[in-house]
Structure formats: C-alpha cells, structure tokens
Short mmCIF file of all heavy atoms in Angstrom, two decimals:
data_model
loop_
_atom_site.label_atom_id
_atom_site.label_comp_id
_atom_site.label_asym_id
_atom_site.label_seq_id
_atom_site.Cartn_x
_atom_site.Cartn_y
_atom_site.Cartn_z
N GLY A 1481 -53.49 63.94 -55.69
CA GLY A 1481 -54.28 63.56 -56.85
C GLY A 1481 -54.06 62.13 -57.30
O GLY A 1481 -54.79 61.65 -58.19
N VAL A 1482 -53.12 61.42 -56.71
CA VAL A 1482 -52.82 60.06 -57.18
C VAL A 1482 -52.85 59.03 -56.04
O VAL A 1482 -52.51 57.87 -56.25
CB VAL A 1482 -51.44 60.01 -57.87
CG1 VAL A 1482 -51.43 60.89 -59.12
CG2 VAL A 1482 -50.31 60.42 -56.93
N LEU A 1483 -53.24 59.45 -54.85
CA LEU A 1483 -53.20 58.52 -53.71
C LEU A 1483 -54.32 57.48 -53.80
O LEU A 1483 -55.33 57.67 -54.48
CB LEU A 1483 -53.26 59.28 -52.39
CG LEU A 1483 -54.50 60.13 -52.07
CD1 LEU A 1483 -55.66 59.31 -51.54
CD2 LEU A 1483 -54.12 61.20 -51.03
N ASP A 1484 -54.12 56.38 -53.11
CA ASP A 1484 -55.09 55.27 -53.04
C ASP A 1484 -55.61 55.22 -51.61
O ASP A 1484 -54.85 55.06 -50.66
CB ASP A 1484 -54.39 53.97 -53.40
CG ASP A 1484 -55.32 52.75 -53.33
OD1 ASP A 1484 -56.51 52.93 -53.02
OD2 ASP A 1484 -54.84 51.63 -53.55
N ASN A 1485 -56.92 55.34 -51.44
CA ASN A 1485 -57.52 55.24 -50.11
C ASN A 1485 -58.62 54.18 -50.08
O ASN A 1485 -59.54 54.23 -49.27
CB ASN A 1485 -58.07 56.59 -49.64
CG ASN A 1485 -59.10 57.16 -50.61
OD1 ASN A 1485 -59.53 56.49 -51.55
ND2 ASN A 1485 -59.49 58.42 -50.39
N GLY A 1486 -58.49 53.19 -50.98
CA GLY A 1486 -59.53 52.18 -51.09
C GLY A 1486 -59.40 51.02 -50.13
O GLY A 1486 -60.30 50.18 -50.05
N ILE A 1487 -58.30 50.92 -49.39
CA ILE A 1487 -58.11 49.83 -48.44
C ILE A 1487 -58.08 50.42 -47.04
O ILE A 1487 -57.32 51.34 -46.75
CB ILE A 1487 -56.81 49.06 -48.73
CG1 ILE A 1487 -56.86 48.44 -50.12
CG2 ILE A 1487 -56.57 47.98 -47.67
CD1 ILE A 1487 -55.57 47.73 -50.52
N ASP A 1488 -58.93 49.90 -46.16
CA ASP A 1488 -59.00 50.41 -44.80
C ASP A 1488 -57.70 50.17 -44.06
O ASP A 1488 -57.11 49.08 -44.15
CB ASP A 1488 -60.14 49.74 -44.04
CG ASP A 1488 -61.51 50.14 -44.58
OD1 ASP A 1488 -61.60 51.24 -45.18
OD2 ASP A 1488 -62.47 49.37 -44.40
N PRO A 1489 -57.21 51.16 -43.33
CA PRO A 1489 -55.98 50.97 -42.55
C PRO A 1489 -56.22 50.06 -41.35
O PRO A 1489 -57.37 49.75 -40.99
CB PRO A 1489 -55.61 52.39 -42.12
CG PRO A 1489 -56.90 53.14 -42.12
CD PRO A 1489 -57.74 52.54 -43.21
N LEU A 1490 -55.14 49.66 -40.71
CA LEU A 1490 -55.20 48.83 -39.51
C LEU A 1490 -55.38 49.69 -38.27
O LEU A 1490 -54.97 50.85 -38.24
CB LEU A 1490 -53.91 48.02 -39.37
CG LEU A 1490 -53.52 47.09 -40.53
CD1 LEU A 1490 -52.08 46.61 -40.36
CD2 LEU A 1490 -54.48 45.91 -40.60
N ALA A 1491 -55.96 49.10 -37.26
CA ALA A 1491 -55.99 49.72 -35.94
C ALA A 1491 -54.83 49.18 -35.12
O ALA A 1491 -54.34 48.07 -35.37
CB ALA A 1491 -57.31 49.41 -35.24
N PRO A 1492 -54.33 49.93 -34.13
CA PRO A 1492 -53.20 49.45 -33.34
C PRO A 1492 -53.45 48.12 -32.65
O PRO A 1492 -52.50 47.35 -32.42
CB PRO A 1492 -53.00 50.57 -32.31
CG PRO A 1492 -53.53 51.80 -32.97
CD PRO A 1492 -54.71 51.31 -33.76
N ASP A 1493 -54.71 47.81 -32.32
CA ASP A 1493 -55.00 46.55 -31.62
C ASP A 1493 -55.37 45.40 -32.55
O ASP A 1493 -55.80 44.33 -32.10
CB ASP A 1493 -56.11 46.76 -30.58
CG ASP A 1493 -57.41 47.27 -31.20
OD1 ASP A 1493 -57.44 47.52 -32.43
OD2 ASP A 1493 -58.40 47.41 -30.45
N THR A 1494 -55.20 45.58 -33.86
CA THR A 1494 -55.47 44.49 -34.81
C THR A 1494 -54.50 43.34 -34.55
O THR A 1494 -53.28 43.54 -34.53
CB THR A 1494 -55.29 44.97 -36.26
OG1 THR A 1494 -56.14 46.11 -36.49
CG2 THR A 1494 -55.64 43.87 -37.24
N PRO A 1495 -55.01 42.11 -34.33
CA PRO A 1495 -54.11 41.00 -34.03
C PRO A 1495 -53.29 40.57 -35.24
O PRO A 1495 -53.66 40.83 -36.39
CB PRO A 1495 -55.07 39.89 -33.58
CG PRO A 1495 -56.37 40.23 -34.20
CD PRO A 1495 -56.44 41.72 -34.26
N LEU A 1496 -52.18 39.89 -34.97
CA LEU A 1496 -51.25 39.48 -36.01
C LEU A 1496 -51.92 38.66 -37.11
O LEU A 1496 -51.67 38.86 -38.30
CB LEU A 1496 -50.10 38.68 -35.39
CG LEU A 1496 -49.12 38.01 -36.36
CD1 LEU A 1496 -48.43 39.04 -37.24
CD2 LEU A 1496 -48.09 37.20 -35.58
N VAL A 1497 -52.78 37.73 -36.73
CA VAL A 1497 -53.41 36.86 -37.73
C VAL A 1497 -54.25 37.68 -38.71
O VAL A 1497 -54.28 37.39 -39.91
CB VAL A 1497 -54.25 35.77 -37.04
CG1 VAL A 1497 -55.41 36.37 -36.24
CG2 VAL A 1497 -54.75 34.76 -38.06
N GLU A 1498 -54.91 38.72 -38.22
CA GLU A 1498 -55.71 39.56 -39.11
C GLU A 1498 -54.82 40.45 -39.98
O GLU A 1498 -55.10 40.67 -41.16
CB GLU A 1498 -56.66 40.43 -38.27
CG GLU A 1498 -57.48 41.44 -39.08
CD GLU A 1498 -58.44 40.79 -40.07
OE1 GLU A 1498 -58.69 39.55 -39.98
OE2 GLU A 1498 -58.96 41.51 -40.95
N VAL A 1499 -53.72 40.95 -39.40
CA VAL A 1499 -52.76 41.73 -40.19
C VAL A 1499 -52.23 40.90 -41.35
O VAL A 1499 -52.19 41.33 -42.50
CB VAL A 1499 -51.60 42.22 -39.30
CG1 VAL A 1499 -50.53 42.91 -40.16
CG2 VAL A 1499 -52.10 43.16 -38.22
N THR A 1500 -51.84 39.65 -41.04
CA THR A 1500 -51.29 38.76 -42.06
C THR A 1500 -52.33 38.48 -43.14
O THR A 1500 -52.01 38.49 -44.34
CB THR A 1500 -50.85 37.43 -41.41
OG1 THR A 1500 -49.94 37.71 -40.35
CG2 THR A 1500 -50.19 36.52 -42.42
N ARG A 1501 -53.56 38.21 -42.74
CA ARG A 1501 -54.61 37.89 -43.71
C ARG A 1501 -54.87 39.06 -44.65
O ARG A 1501 -54.98 38.88 -45.87
CB ARG A 1501 -55.90 37.53 -42.96
CG ARG A 1501 -57.03 37.04 -43.88
CD ARG A 1501 -58.32 36.87 -43.12
NE ARG A 1501 -58.86 38.15 -42.67
CZ ARG A 1501 -59.56 38.97 -43.45
NH1 ARG A 1501 -59.78 38.66 -44.73
NH2 ARG A 1501 -60.01 40.11 -42.98
N ARG A 1502 -54.92 40.28 -44.11
CA ARG A 1502 -55.23 41.42 -44.95
C ARG A 1502 -54.08 41.79 -45.89
O ARG A 1502 -54.29 42.14 -47.05
CB ARG A 1502 -55.60 42.61 -44.07
CG ARG A 1502 -56.94 42.38 -43.34
CD ARG A 1502 -57.36 43.55 -42.52
NE ARG A 1502 -57.50 44.77 -43.31
CZ ARG A 1502 -57.75 45.96 -42.77
NH1 ARG A 1502 -57.86 46.08 -41.46
NH2 ARG A 1502 -57.87 47.01 -43.54
N MET A 1503 -52.85 41.66 -45.41
CA MET A 1503 -51.72 41.94 -46.29
C MET A 1503 -51.63 40.92 -47.41
O MET A 1503 -51.31 41.25 -48.56
CB MET A 1503 -50.42 41.99 -45.48
CG MET A 1503 -50.33 43.19 -44.56
SD MET A 1503 -48.75 43.32 -43.68
CE MET A 1503 -47.66 43.77 -45.02
N ALA A 1504 -51.93 39.66 -47.09
CA ALA A 1504 -51.92 38.62 -48.12
C ALA A 1504 -53.06 38.81 -49.11
O ALA A 1504 -52.90 38.62 -50.33
CB ALA A 1504 -52.00 37.25 -47.47
N THR A 1505 -54.22 39.22 -48.62
CA THR A 1505 -55.39 39.42 -49.48
C THR A 1505 -55.13 40.48 -50.53
O THR A 1505 -55.48 40.32 -51.71
CB THR A 1505 -56.61 39.82 -48.63
OG1 THR A 1505 -56.91 38.76 -47.72
CG2 THR A 1505 -57.82 40.09 -49.51
N TYR A 1506 -54.49 41.58 -50.12
CA TYR A 1506 -54.29 42.70 -51.04
C TYR A 1506 -52.87 42.75 -51.63
O TYR A 1506 -52.53 43.72 -52.31
CB TYR A 1506 -54.59 44.02 -50.31
CG TYR A 1506 -56.03 44.11 -49.85
CD1 TYR A 1506 -56.34 44.11 -48.49
CD2 TYR A 1506 -57.08 44.17 -50.76
CE1 TYR A 1506 -57.65 44.19 -48.06
CE2 TYR A 1506 -58.40 44.25 -50.33
CZ TYR A 1506 -58.68 44.25 -48.98
OH TYR A 1506 -59.99 44.33 -48.55
N ASP A 1507 -52.05 41.72 -51.38
CA ASP A 1507 -50.69 41.64 -51.93
C ASP A 1507 -49.88 42.89 -51.59
O ASP A 1507 -49.24 43.49 -52.46
CB ASP A 1507 -50.72 41.44 -53.45
CG ASP A 1507 -51.33 40.11 -53.85
OD1 ASP A 1507 -51.12 39.13 -53.10
OD2 ASP A 1507 -52.01 40.06 -54.89
N LEU A 1508 -49.87 43.26 -50.33
CA LEU A 1508 -49.19 44.47 -49.88
C LEU A 1508 -47.90 44.13 -49.14
O LEU A 1508 -47.80 43.08 -48.50
CB LEU A 1508 -50.10 45.29 -48.96
CG LEU A 1508 -51.40 45.81 -49.59
CD1 LEU A 1508 -52.25 46.49 -48.53
CD2 LEU A 1508 -51.09 46.77 -50.73
N VAL A 1509 -46.93 45.03 -49.22
CA VAL A 1509 -45.71 44.86 -48.43
C VAL A 1509 -45.73 45.74 -47.19
O VAL A 1509 -44.85 45.63 -46.34
CB VAL A 1509 -44.45 45.17 -49.26
CG1 VAL A 1509 -44.31 44.18 -50.39
CG2 VAL A 1509 -44.46 46.59 -49.79
N ALA A 1510 -46.73 46.63 -47.06
CA ALA A 1510 -46.88 47.46 -45.87
C ALA A 1510 -48.31 47.96 -45.79
O ALA A 1510 -48.98 48.13 -46.82
CB ALA A 1510 -45.91 48.65 -45.89
N MET A 1511 -48.78 48.17 -44.55
CA MET A 1511 -50.12 48.73 -44.33
C MET A 1511 -50.05 49.79 -43.26
O MET A 1511 -49.32 49.66 -42.27
CB MET A 1511 -51.10 47.63 -43.91
CG MET A 1511 -51.53 46.70 -45.01
SD MET A 1511 -53.02 45.75 -44.58
CE MET A 1511 -54.30 47.04 -44.64
N PRO A 1512 -50.85 50.86 -43.42
CA PRO A 1512 -50.85 51.93 -42.42
C PRO A 1512 -51.59 51.51 -41.15
O PRO A 1512 -52.49 50.67 -41.19
CB PRO A 1512 -51.60 53.06 -43.13
CG PRO A 1512 -52.52 52.35 -44.08
CD PRO A 1512 -51.76 51.14 -44.54
N VAL A 1513 -51.19 52.10 -40.05
CA VAL A 1513 -51.86 51.88 -38.77
C VAL A 1513 -52.31 53.25 -38.27
O VAL A 1513 -51.50 54.18 -38.16
CB VAL A 1513 -50.92 51.22 -37.74
CG1 VAL A 1513 -51.66 50.98 -36.43
CG2 VAL A 1513 -50.34 49.92 -38.28
N VAL A 1514 -53.61 53.39 -37.98
CA VAL A 1514 -54.15 54.68 -37.54
C VAL A 1514 -54.85 54.52 -36.20
O VAL A 1514 -55.33 53.44 -35.85
CB VAL A 1514 -55.13 55.26 -38.58
CG1 VAL A 1514 -54.45 55.45 -39.94
CG2 VAL A 1514 -56.37 54.39 -38.72
N ASP A 1515 -54.90 55.63 -35.44
CA ASP A 1515 -55.60 55.60 -34.15
C ASP A 1515 -57.08 55.92 -34.33
O ASP A 1515 -57.57 56.04 -35.47
CB ASP A 1515 -54.92 56.52 -33.15
CG ASP A 1515 -54.97 58.00 -33.57
OD1 ASP A 1515 -55.75 58.34 -34.49
OD2 ASP A 1515 -54.23 58.81 -33.00
N ARG A 1516 -57.80 56.11 -33.24
CA ARG A 1516 -59.25 56.31 -33.31
C ARG A 1516 -59.64 57.62 -33.97
O ARG A 1516 -60.77 57.77 -34.43
CB ARG A 1516 -59.83 56.24 -31.90
CG ARG A 1516 -59.73 54.84 -31.28
CD ARG A 1516 -60.32 54.83 -29.89
NE ARG A 1516 -60.24 53.51 -29.28
CZ ARG A 1516 -60.64 53.22 -28.04
NH1 ARG A 1516 -61.15 54.20 -27.28
NH2 ARG A 1516 -60.54 52.01 -27.57
N THR A 1517 -58.70 58.59 -33.99
CA THR A 1517 -59.00 59.87 -34.62
C THR A 1517 -58.45 59.93 -36.04
O THR A 1517 -58.34 61.02 -36.61
CB THR A 1517 -58.43 61.03 -33.78
OG1 THR A 1517 -57.01 60.86 -33.64
CG2 THR A 1517 -59.06 61.05 -32.40
N ASN A 1518 -58.09 58.77 -36.59
CA ASN A 1518 -57.60 58.65 -37.97
C ASN A 1518 -56.25 59.33 -38.19
O ASN A 1518 -55.96 59.83 -39.27
CB ASN A 1518 -58.63 59.19 -38.96
CG ASN A 1518 -58.46 58.55 -40.34
OD1 ASN A 1518 -58.16 57.36 -40.46
ND2 ASN A 1518 -58.63 59.33 -41.39
N ARG A 1519 -55.43 59.36 -37.15
CA ARG A 1519 -54.06 59.85 -37.29
C ARG A 1519 -53.14 58.66 -37.57
O ARG A 1519 -53.27 57.61 -36.93
CB ARG A 1519 -53.61 60.59 -36.03
CG ARG A 1519 -54.44 61.83 -35.69
CD ARG A 1519 -53.89 62.51 -34.45
NE ARG A 1519 -53.86 61.60 -33.30
CZ ARG A 1519 -53.27 61.88 -32.13
NH1 ARG A 1519 -52.63 63.04 -31.98
NH2 ARG A 1519 -53.32 61.02 -31.14
N LEU A 1520 -52.20 58.84 -38.49
CA LEU A 1520 -51.25 57.78 -38.79
C LEU A 1520 -50.25 57.65 -37.65
O LEU A 1520 -49.56 58.61 -37.29
CB LEU A 1520 -50.51 58.09 -40.10
CG LEU A 1520 -49.55 57.01 -40.60
CD1 LEU A 1520 -50.32 55.79 -41.09
CD2 LEU A 1520 -48.67 57.56 -41.73
N VAL A 1521 -50.17 56.46 -37.06
CA VAL A 1521 -49.23 56.24 -35.95
C VAL A 1521 -48.08 55.33 -36.35
O VAL A 1521 -47.10 55.17 -35.60
CB VAL A 1521 -49.96 55.64 -34.72
CG1 VAL A 1521 -50.93 56.66 -34.15
CG2 VAL A 1521 -50.67 54.34 -35.06
#
C-alpha cells in the first residue's frame, strides 16, 4: 500500500552513462534492474 512504482526500472543491458543520468535525474541511491519478464534480477 505504500510502494512507489512511478520510475521505470533499468534493464540489464542499460549502459553506464544512462544509469548515471537516470539516478542523478531522480536523486536516487539505488535503482532496480529487471529482465524482459519484469522479474527483479
């Protein structure tokens, strides 16, 4: 009832520069990585 799902997770093949940009954009200290079937890896 209190989770946040408003930010799209990363894909395993997301390059470092894009990971850095998205974490900086949303001021996050961690981001989830999910596979093609939306499982957290």
Side-chain angles (χ1 to χ4, degrees):
V1482 297
L1483 62 81
D1484 179 2
N1485 58 9
I1487 298 176
D1488 292 335
L1490 302 167
D1493 59 357
T1494 304
L1496 172 60
V1497 63
E1498 176 63 14
V1499 174
T1500 305
R1501 186 187 67 81
R1502 292 183 59 186
M1503 290 184 71
T1505 298
Y1506 298 113
D1507 295 324
L1508 298 175
V1509 296
M1511 286 196 72
V1513 182
V1514 301
D1515 63 14
R1516 293 180 179 178
T1517 58
N1518 205 37
R1519 299 182 302 171
L1520 184 70
V1521 293

